[in-house]
Amino acid sequence: MVLSRTIGSDSDDSVHSTFASRYVRTCLPRFRLAENSIPKEAAYQIINDELMLDGNPRLNLASFVTTWMEPECDKLMLAAINKNYVDMDEYPVTTELQNRCVNIIAHLFNAPLGESETAVGVGTVGSSEAIMLAGLAFKRKWQNKMKALGKPWDKPNIVTGANVQVCWEKFARYFEVELKEVKLSEGYYVMDPEKAVEMVDENTICVAAILGSTLNGEFEDVKRLNDLLVDKNAQTGWDTPIHVDAASGGFIAPFIYPELEWDFRLPLVKSINVSGHKYGLVYAGIGWVIWRNKEDLPDELIFHINYLGADQPTFTLNFSKGSSQIIAQYYQLIRLGFEGYKNIMENCRDNALVLKEGLEKTGRFNIVSKDTGVPLVAFSLKDHSQHNEFEISDMLRRFGWIVPAYTMPPNAQHITVLRVVIREDFSRTLADRLVSDIVKVLQELDTLPAKVTAKIEISEEKGIEYKTELEVQRKYTDAWKRFVANKRKINGVC
């Protein structure tokens, strides 16, 4: 005989489908904790459904950050997701893997190490933390020197280009260091070494060069900067050093531009940062900073703790952090080796050239990026009388592509560009498809009223006259920037 019991219709126990439950017709509080718990299946489905509205990371061509890894590496990361890296005594193997990564990267950057000498460096959450640590080391070393000389030590500065990533501005503001920026100019979108060295004074803690500008991927001339600084140091008696921000280019140059001198082969390069989560080919959350030798990292910045077990030295801004990305970085380094990284970087470079050639064939764009540098294509419209780069960026989202449009820093802020970053998972097929979709967008825009022309006509009716196309472009760019800023204020939630 079959025994059964009836469950009330209001009970969730009777519902086998999440979409048949009451949780799909009840709006959960978004900014306060709910009074009651909900089933794990419902919680998963609710969050998963909202996340479907996010963009596809693989089609996010704005980002340098890795969006694909091999399944074997995904397994390793998942297995280590509950390991707190800072507990080195509890997880000695993970600590050893981090030390191996530091040494592998240091040798890749030609650090002057003996056979049995250990490299000086640390894994970070990303290049932002790495830059903070390197900047603090320069600041403390400069302060110690000035104190020993009996000179003022309260007004340090860093010289860099106006094209630096925002993390440099954060460092300067957070740690009270003046940021002296070399302004850009139309057609030259990286730091001019001659102008940079002219801005160096006795209070300069370092000159920061970028190996792979965020704006157009171009490598700055670190060799020229080094040679000019050597001469100035000899004339003044100073010892102004160089830091290389190789966040994007550090895992590119050694493999496809081995003859390029930018690293520790140059005597004034004292530290280098690189993002493992960019062309190091690891998911977001890992960066590295390497020092030339122990003397370049002041001892007073290193803390020693013992409450987690054995004595543990630490030099980080973040304390607790996951071990997964460190393990993933080691996986990539031993899995790919020099040959694997070289092949991937060559593929990225070749696919960037394919995209560049496709855009040039349209006859509508000027290419702003360089063939030598980070594999990306930055481009701008030749003719702004009809439409602009922001409209192209907006319309490409209909096809799933996320392609950023932005203005250059001073004094080239009147130049607007679109940028496509070529990552490992961006194939030749996708490059061809993107060109095809850009052509479709251009054709559609050509059939629409010209917004720029309309604005000019309205301005002329009001007695405002813009004499040149450049003035028109500047006015329109400024208006668009204000529109975007206002939109962020409306949509933003703190």
Side-chain angles (χ1 to χ4, degrees):
M1 183 174 67
V2 178
L3 297 177
S4 63
R5 64 187 180 89
T6 302
I7 300 176
S9 60
D10 291 335
S11 172
D12 287 319
D13 294 336
S14 65
V15 179
H16 298 286
S17 169
T18 300
F19 289 111
S21 70
R22 61 186 174 87
Y23 300 104
V24 298
R25 62 178 184 268
T26 302
C27 186
L28 297 177
R30 293 181 2 181
F31 304 118
R32 295 189 181 186
L33 197 63
E35 290 295 328
N36 301 312
S37 303
I38 65 175
K40 58 182 183 293
E41 296 85 0
Y44 169 83
Q45 197 66 56
I46 290 169
I47 297 172
N48 184 68
D49 289 351
E50 278 206 85
L51 288 174
M52 290 192 302
L53 300 174
D54 267 347
N56 184 341
R58 294 281 301 277
L59 299 181
N60 181 7
L61 306 182
S63 178
F64 293 83
V65 176
T66 297
T67 54
W68 179 87
M69 296 185 74
E70 292 178 326
E72 290 77 10
C73 194
D74 290 345
K75 293 177 184 177
L76 287 172
M77 294 183 73
L78 186 60
I81 202 167
N82 59 350
K83 289 184 180 179
N84 185 0
Y85 170 73
V86 75
D87 198 345
M88 302 178 189
D89 190 50
E90 185 68 24
Y91 309 118
V93 175
T94 302
T95 302
E96 171 64 19
L97 296 186
Q98 191 236 211
N99 294 338
R100 292 179 192 176
C101 289
V102 166
N103 281 272
I104 290 171
I105 295 170
H107 282 288
L108 191 65
F109 294 167
N110 295 294
L113 299 171
E115 282 296 323
S116 58
E117 192 174 357
T118 302
V120 181
V122 66
T124 60
V125 172
S127 273
S128 292
E129 183 188 8
I131 285 168
M132 303 285 176
L133 298 179
L136 285 172
F138 282 119
K139 181 181 178 182
R140 183 56 58 90
K141 192 171 183 181
W142 173 83
Q143 287 177 326
N144 291 342
K145 179 189 71 175
M146 298 299 278
K147 289 177 183 178
L149 294 173
K151 296 183 177 182
W153 48 273
D154 60 334
K155 293 183 178 180
N157 68 68
I158 283 180
V159 175
T160 188
N163 56 313
V164 291
Q165 213 266 356
V166 69
C167 57
W168 283 99
E169 297 178 34
K170 288 183 178 180
F171 168 77
R173 189 177 302 178
Y174 294 167
F175 296 101
E176 299 181 326
V177 176
E178 180 189 1
L179 194 65
K180 299 170 70 173
E181 294 184 343
V182 179
K183 303 302 181 185
L184 309 184
S185 59
E186 186 170 348
Y188 195 87
Y189 304 118
V190 292
M191 180 179 68
D192 185 327
E194 281 79 7
K195 292 180 180 178
V197 173
E198 288 175 5
M199 296 175 71
V200 169
D201 58 33
E202 193 175 15
N203 293 331
T204 302
I205 64 176
C206 78
V207 180
I210 305 176
L211 195 77
S213 172
T214 301
L215 301 176
N216 69 343
E218 188 174 351
F219 291 166
E220 293 184 341
D221 193 345
V222 187
K223 176 69 165 59
R224 177 64 176 157
L225 176 65
N226 178 87
D227 294 345
L228 292 171
L229 265 182
V230 167
D231 291 341
K232 184 157 188 172
N233 286 343
Q235 295 170 9
T236 60
W238 304 336
D239 56 353
T240 307
I242 296 172
H243 173 84
V244 179
D245 179 356
S248 299
F251 276 111
I252 295 172
F255 301 107
I256 56 178
Y257 307 113
E259 73 290 344
L260 184 67
E261 293 185 57
W262 63 274
D263 52 19
F264 291 120
R265 286 171 287 181
L266 303 175
L268 292 184
V269 175
K270 302 299 182 182
S271 56
I272 301 172
N273 70 277
V274 65
S275 291
H277 61 220
K278 291 182 180 176
Y279 289 94
L281 308 180
V282 178
Y283 293 141
I286 185 68
W288 305 92
V289 57
I290 312 293
W291 283 271
R292 186 181 192 89
N293 52 49
K294 293 180 180 179
E295 290 71 29
D296 295 310
L297 177 57
D299 288 336
E300 62 262 37
L301 293 178
I302 301 174
F303 291 84
H304 293 265
I305 59 172
N306 61 14
Y307 57 81
L308 292 175
D311 178 72
Q312 299 172 6
T314 175
F315 179 39
T316 60
L317 296 180
N318 297 282
F319 194 64
S320 295
K321 66 179 178 182
S323 299
S324 297
Q325 271 73 10
I326 291 172
I327 293 169
Q329 184 71 84
Y330 186 66
Y331 173 90
Q332 293 289 51
L333 291 173
I334 67 167
R335 162 78 174 94
L336 296 173
F338 193 94
E339 176 191 28
Y341 270 100
K342 185 174 186 291
N343 290 338
I344 289 171
M345 301 311 154
E346 286 177 341
N347 284 346
C348 290
R349 179 192 59 192
D350 293 346
N351 286 332
L353 291 174
V354 167
L355 178 60
K356 173 192 169 187
E357 291 169 1
L359 292 171
E360 287 177 329
K361 287 179 181 178
T362 68
R364 304 286 291 271
F365 298 105
N366 290 315
I367 305 300
V368 177
S369 51
K370 306 294 183 181
D371 290 344
T372 299
V374 176
L376 63 80
V377 182
F379 53 103
S380 61
L381 282 167
K382 291 181 178 180
D383 181 9
H384 291 86
S385 64
Q386 297 295 314
H387 298 284
N388 63 78
E389 291 83 0
F390 294 103
E391 292 172 273
I392 294 174
S393 174
D394 185 51
M395 292 187 69
L396 279 173
R397 286 179 178 266
R398 299 182 187 178
F399 296 92
W401 302 108
I402 301 174
V403 177
Y406 53 88
T407 55
M408 290 292 192
N411 289 328
Q413 60 265 45
H414 59 282
I415 303 297
T416 308
V417 299
L418 294 152
R419 187 194 67 201
V420 174
V421 178
I422 310 299
R423 298 189 301 270
E424 175 189 13
D425 54 349
F426 189 83
S427 64
R428 169 68 180 271
T429 302
L430 288 178
D432 291 338
R433 181 58 183 265
L434 177 59
V435 172
S436 175
D437 289 343
I438 289 175
V439 170
K440 291 176 185 177
V441 166
L442 290 172
Q443 292 172 344
E444 185 173 350
L445 282 172
D446 288 342
T447 65
L448 298 176
K451 294 183 179 179
V452 177
T453 303
K455 287 180 179 292
I456 295 171
E457 292 172 352
I458 293 171
S459 299
E460 289 176 347
E461 288 176 7
K462 294 181 179 179
I464 302 172
E465 183 181 359
Y466 301 138
K467 297 180 180 179
T468 67
E469 182 184 341
L470 182 59
E471 288 179 306
V472 173
Q473 185 179 350
R474 283 176 172 167
K475 292 291 183 181
Y476 192 73
T477 299
D478 290 342
W480 188 272
K481 288 168 69 176
R482 289 193 297 271
F483 170 76
V484 172
N486 292 332
K487 190 174 181 182
R488 285 175 179 168
K489 289 178 183 178
I490 295 172
N491 295 338
V493 176
C494 295

